[in-house]
Structures are given as C-alpha cells and as structure tokens.
Amino acid sequence: MIFSHTQISQFIRCPRSYRYRYLDGWQERDSRAAMIFGRCFETALGAYFRREDPTAVLFKEWGLYRDAALDYKRGDSWDRMVHQGVHLLERFAQENRVRVPRPKKNLQVKLLRSLPRDNQFVAYLDAIGELDGTPCVIDWKVTSSRYPEEPEGLLSLDPQLICYSWISGIPEVAVVAFIRKSQPEIQYLKATITEDQRKEYGRLVETTIAQIEAGEFPSHSGIRFPQNGCVSCAHLGLCLDNQRLIEAKLTRRPGAEDLDWLTELDE
Ligand code: SF4
C-alpha cells in the first residue's frame, strides 16, 4: 500500500471517514471554486519560476472553469478571483523573497519512503527552494484569511510541514500564504522542525498504518459546538443516511461498490 499524509490525517481525524473515502470510494465532489482556483494559481506560480508568463497561465488554467457550475463562497466570483490572483502574482514578483533554483526539479517534488511490511509513503512537496536566502521546503497556500502568527512557534506544530520535513530530512520549512482579499497580501511564515518531531511523525505513521491494517474504522464524531468536525466532513450524509447530502457532496469511485461486503463485515 502507498500512504500519504492526507490518508494518515484523515484516519486520525475519523477512521470511519477514512473508510468511506479510501475503501468505499466516496470522494468529495470537485466543485469548490476556491480549491480549484488554488490549483490554477499554483500552476501559474510554476510558470513564474520557469520564467514564463504567470498571468497568461492563470487566465488559461482558470479560464477552463469560466462557465463551470462551481460553488463560490459569498462574495467570490470567477472575475473577482482572477483579479485577486493577478494582483497576488504581481506582488509576489515585486517582493521577490522566494527562489526556486532548477524549477523543473524543485517544484512539485515527489518523495517516496519505504515503510515496514512493503508499504510506502508518498509526499508531493510544493517546492524546495529559499525564502530570504534560507534553504527550506516551501508550501504554497491560497486562502481567503490570514494564517495565525501567534503564539510564536505555532507553525512548527503544523503536521503537514512536519511530514514534509520528515520525508525530506530538511529541518527548515515555510508557508507562503497568498491571501485573496481586496488588498492582496502575502504571508511568509517560517518554522524549524526538530529531529524529535520528525521521529515522532515516523512513529505516528507506523502506528496509524498498523491500525488501518487491523481493519477497524470506528467513527470519531468530533467534539461539540463550535468545533464539530462532522459539520465540515464530506461524509456527513453517509453517517446521517441523508441521500440529499450524499448526492450534493459526494461521488463514488467506479467499481468501489465491489467492496460493500466490508460494510457488512463491520456491522
Ligand atoms: S460525519 Fe463525523 S462521524 Fe461521520 S465520517 Fe464524518 S467525521 Fe466521522
């Protein structure tokens, strides 16, 4: 089996949700405008580092979705997002704090790590480069709100960054957050991941995979208001047996019905 940070964190958050997604084949519908725009923007960033025209690439990529029926959050629209994206690209070029040498090799870097029992772990790093002259792993985020910067050191607890440090062996990590708002802003956040954190993440991966292999997927229905993870979980319709929610949020991988016997075993 090949595992990823997304799989591990989904199992930790709710094993039942993991089973729905990775065994039963229920995937969230890909219609969130913000998420799709984020992917288009990251493709444009790649063009910037390859010294191509990032604005043209953004228009081309995001243009594919101009007439698509996407879910826009309140206040967002296709036009508004493309303008925000262009402003952010211009600002990023002006600020000129990030370098990615040899972009073909150092953008979207695929790393594989062998695990016990013939398992593997895969991660795709957005970039390996330099922020303000410091070599680091870089994660792009396109978001509509700022990342919290207080208390100091908070970013060093980010599990995805710890994962990237663990698989690459690089202690310095950074998030470059492109904030879509009327006055575009870019946050450059840095953290250092310790050797102990990397070892701990490795143990977490191994114990989580052992639980997955044991085939137990109890539901962790989150804590109570206001941070109930079920409210934002794409699989809520399955847990509530609500057909309307299932159809609105999910699509099923072709052929996944063949694994429905797992549900019967579990019950
Ligand atoms: S709705 Fe809640 S219990 Fe059900 S899969 Fe999602 S997080 Fe788990």
Side-chain angles (χ1 to χ4, degrees), residues 221-231:
S221 53
I223 58 168
R224 299 180 74 187
F225 183 85
Q227 287 174 310
N228 186 339
C230 295
V231 175

Side-chain angles (χ1 to χ4, degrees), residues 14 16-17 20 219-221 229-230 233 235-236 239:
C14 178
R16 177 63 53 94
S17 173
Y20 285 146
S219 60
H220 282 191
S221 53
C230 295
C233 176
H235 299 122
L236 182 60
C239 285

Side-chain angles (χ1 to χ4, degrees), residues 185-243:
E185 184 187 350
I186 305 173
Q187 277 179 296
Y188 300 88
L189 307 167
K190 304 173 195 175
T192 303
I193 308 299
T194 65
E195 179 64 22
D196 280 352
Q197 284 178 292
R198 283 190 288 278
K199 282 187 182 155
E200 190 178 41
Y201 186 82
R203 287 194 294 274
L204 180 71
V205 167
E206 287 186 24
T207 53
T208 306
I209 290 174
Q211 289 173 55
I212 292 169
E213 289 175 336
E216 289 183 14
F217 304 99
S219 60
H220 282 191
S221 53
I223 58 168
R224 299 180 74 187
F225 183 85
Q227 287 174 310
N228 186 339
C230 295
V231 175
S232 56
C233 176
H235 299 122
L236 182 60
L238 292 168
C239 285
L240 298 181
D241 201 15
N242 179 325
Q243 196 59 30

